Amino acid sequence: MLKTRLYSWFRGQESRSKSTDDALAFISQGLALTGDLRTDAQWVRIDGAVVGDVIATSGAVTIGKSGSVTGTVFADSIDLAGHVNGRMIAAAQIACKCSAIFGGHMSATVLSIDVGAQITGTMALHTNDAMPAQPVMHEVTSKQYAAR
């Protein structure tokens, strides 16, 4: 369905409204963006490279296997299959797939890390109400985990 909608949109067959309810922001593979990306789009997909902050004020961010972000990613939820060097802050959840490579700090209400993901840095869990003023930090590197 999404493929059909995207095809129709790119061909100009679908009306484009100013509503961001179904909006999609897409950084394709081979595209490099230097600077901050701020959007109200419901879905943001990054398969290219972003050097700067990605701020999705009311949506989800997916960073594909070929995608990379150097900076802060802020969204309702974040799915990581590519590379992030910096911070990931989600109001709801962060899911790191088996191909994910992350270095920095992540904070969410739910953290999901698949086997094989390479995570180096700190993690903090916060409640749905708000992030705590002094989050409890847990630092685990992939080498420390493998030594267990």
Side-chain angles (χ1 to χ4, degrees), residues 23-104:
L24 171 70
F26 187 70
I27 305 294
S28 64
Q29 187 172 1
L31 180 65
L33 173 68
T34 301
D36 295 346
L37 171 65
R38 296 176 190 271
T39 181
D40 291 332
Q42 285 292 348
W43 298 283
V44 177
R45 177 156 183 105
I46 300 170
D47 287 322
V50 176
V51 177
D53 296 341
V54 177
I55 301 166
T57 56
S58 61
V61 173
T62 298
I63 302 163
K65 285 185 180 182
S66 62
S68 69
V69 175
T70 302
T72 298
V73 180
F74 178 82
D76 286 341
S77 66
I78 302 168
D79 286 330
L80 175 63
H83 304 255
V84 170
N85 188 14
R87 298 186 312 159
M88 292 194 300
I89 302 167
Q93 74 172 26
I94 296 174
C96 296
K97 307 301 181 192
C98 62
S99 59
I101 299 172
F102 175 78

Side-chain angles (χ1 to χ4, degrees), residues 140-148:
V140 178
T141 66
S142 56
K143 290 179 184 177
Q144 291 172 328
Y145 183 78
R148 289 183 183 183

